[in-house]
Amino acid sequence: MSQALHPMLNIAIKAARSAGAIINRASLDLDLLKITTKGPNDFVSEVDRAAEQAIIETLLAAYPGHGILAEESGRTHGARDSEFVWIIDPLDGTTNFLHGFPVYAVSIALAHRGQVQQAVVYDPARNDLFYASKGRGAYLNDKRLRASKRTRLSDALIGTGFPFRKGDNFKRYVQMFEEVMQHCAGLRRPGAAALDLCYVAAGYYDGFFETGLNPWDIAAGSLMITEAGGLIGNFTGEADYLYQREVVAGNPKVYAQLVQILAPYTKVIKADEPAAAPAAAPQVTPEQALAASVAAPAAAKKKGPVRIRKAD
């Protein structure tokens, strides 16, 4: 890399590559993986846990006083009272990975007082490294990223993600899907939100929207987008998307048009969620909301391991 990177970003890149190496090795023999279900259609493998452990060890070796918010282990590691919190998704797109579909990524972000300052999203299948520091731009490998310049939604390619968890309001999502689809050039759903957001930053997509996402799904990708000249928010265009479980992003022109379409659907996920769902209650700060969002996933890991084997 030709530019001098922030020291904390360098550590995040080292951690992401370590996790990527674990994921790539495991991808060579998926039949042997032990899989646990966190909920309907929500899986975690021993690879997720091993990758997360490698990331946390790398980060805390360099910054032992920092906090950790990770998808699988929550806040059990690191300092709970630190102003610096690493937000980690060790394998975004686990279902894709388990089926050998090569769209998944490692996502690592560093938030200071609730604001994302450093971000890395690593695609181990393609050896693509997206990274950004606040105020210093976003990059793919060594190339500066810029959001697309399309101005009309009718010409735009839009990314999305389908709801899949119990309680997600699928019927209203279909209404959203139908309305956006009729106004744009095409919709895509690869299945890894961290990469989807990076694709907006790179200009591959002109916009993106999804419901039901957690902070670790979007923290790193959100900085990529803003540093590439794009916009990201909740369905009404506000900046508290990290804990609202709805996100829309795009270049400025397409973003504005998507917000206009999606604003009536704000909070559609929460309409059908049980009261104890993560981040359902309003929180005072993003950092408090991030911590609260891991409560339900941590309590859900009770089912025993099962084996998934490829069909002949």
Side-chain angles (χ1 to χ4, degrees):
M1 297 174 191
S2 58
Q3 61 167 327
L5 301 182
H6 191 286
M8 293 180 182
L9 182 60
N10 264 324
I11 292 298
I13 290 172
K14 179 182 177 182
R17 289 196 182 278
S18 296
I22 292 170
I23 293 167
N24 277 340
R25 285 195 298 271
S27 70
L28 300 176
D29 205 343
L30 294 173
D31 287 346
L32 300 181
L33 291 182
K34 292 182 179 179
I35 316 301
T36 304
T37 57
K38 293 191 287 185
N41 301 323
D42 199 0
F43 303 102
V44 58
S45 73
E46 55 191 330
V47 178
D48 295 71
R49 296 193 176 99
E52 183 170 292
Q53 182 178 353
I55 293 168
I56 292 172
E57 288 176 354
T58 301
L59 298 177
L60 291 184
Y63 300 104
H66 285 192
I68 298 288
L69 172 65
E71 180 178 10
E72 308 308 335
S73 60
R75 296 298 301 265
T76 58
H77 300 283
R80 290 178 176 269
D81 58 351
S82 176
E83 293 182 343
F84 291 91
V85 178
W86 293 95
I87 306 169
I88 301 163
D89 190 339
L91 179 52
D92 183 42
T94 299
T95 302
N96 285 350
F97 172 77
L98 295 176
H99 288 80
F101 186 65
V103 181
Y104 42 82
V106 180
S107 179
I108 303 173
L110 175 64
H112 179 242
R113 297 180 179 178
Q115 300 296 315
V116 179
Q117 303 286 325
Q118 312 293 336
V120 175
V121 175
Y122 180 51
D123 177 351
R126 295 167 185 77
N127 195 28
D128 277 346
L129 183 73
F130 297 87
Y131 57 95
S133 291
K134 190 171 181 63
R136 300 180 65 178
Y139 294 82
L140 167 55
N141 300 324
D142 226 5
K143 180 183 177 183
R144 181 75 181 260
L145 296 180
R146 300 286 187 188
S148 74
K149 298 184 183 300
R150 290 184 180 87
T151 59
R152 296 187 302 179
L153 185 58
S154 59
D155 297 329
L157 182 64
I158 306 298
T160 189
F162 305 145
F164 61 91
R165 296 181 181 90
K166 184 178 180 181
D168 289 351
N169 193 331
F170 191 75
K171 289 183 179 179
R172 290 202 67 191
Y173 176 82
V174 170
Q175 295 174 6
M176 263 190 292
F177 185 92
E178 182 179 7
E179 190 165 352
V180 173
M181 185 167 59
Q182 291 181 42
H183 287 85
C184 72
L187 273 172
R188 300 292 182 267
R189 198 276 187 185
L195 280 177
D196 285 327
L197 295 172
C198 289
Y199 291 170
V200 173
Y204 305 160
Y205 291 154
D206 303 294
F208 172 79
F209 71 98
E210 188 167 354
T211 57
L213 293 174
N214 289 303
W216 47 78
D217 297 312
I218 57 180
S222 68
L223 185 62
M224 306 289 179
I225 289 173
T226 56
E227 288 297 315
L231 296 174
I232 182 168
N234 62 21
F235 282 4
T236 55
E238 298 166 83
D240 57 353
Y241 54 87
L242 269 182
Y243 57 97
Q244 289 297 317
R245 294 178 64 76
E246 61 183 39
V247 66
V248 57
N251 72 45
K253 294 289 187 181
V254 171
Y255 173 83
Q257 294 167 76
L258 283 175
V259 167
Q260 193 171 15
I261 292 174
L262 296 172
Y265 298 97
T266 186
K267 310 297 184 295
V268 294
I269 283 292
K270 293 182 180 179
D272 284 355
E273 281 186 338
Q283 300 293 333
V284 176
T285 67
E287 170 31 58
Q288 290 172 332
L290 296 179
S293 67
V294 300
K301 302 173 191 171
K302 292 183 179 179
K303 295 189 178 180
V306 297
R307 291 184 180 273
I308 291 183
R309 294 191 175 277
K310 293 181 180 177
D312 292 335

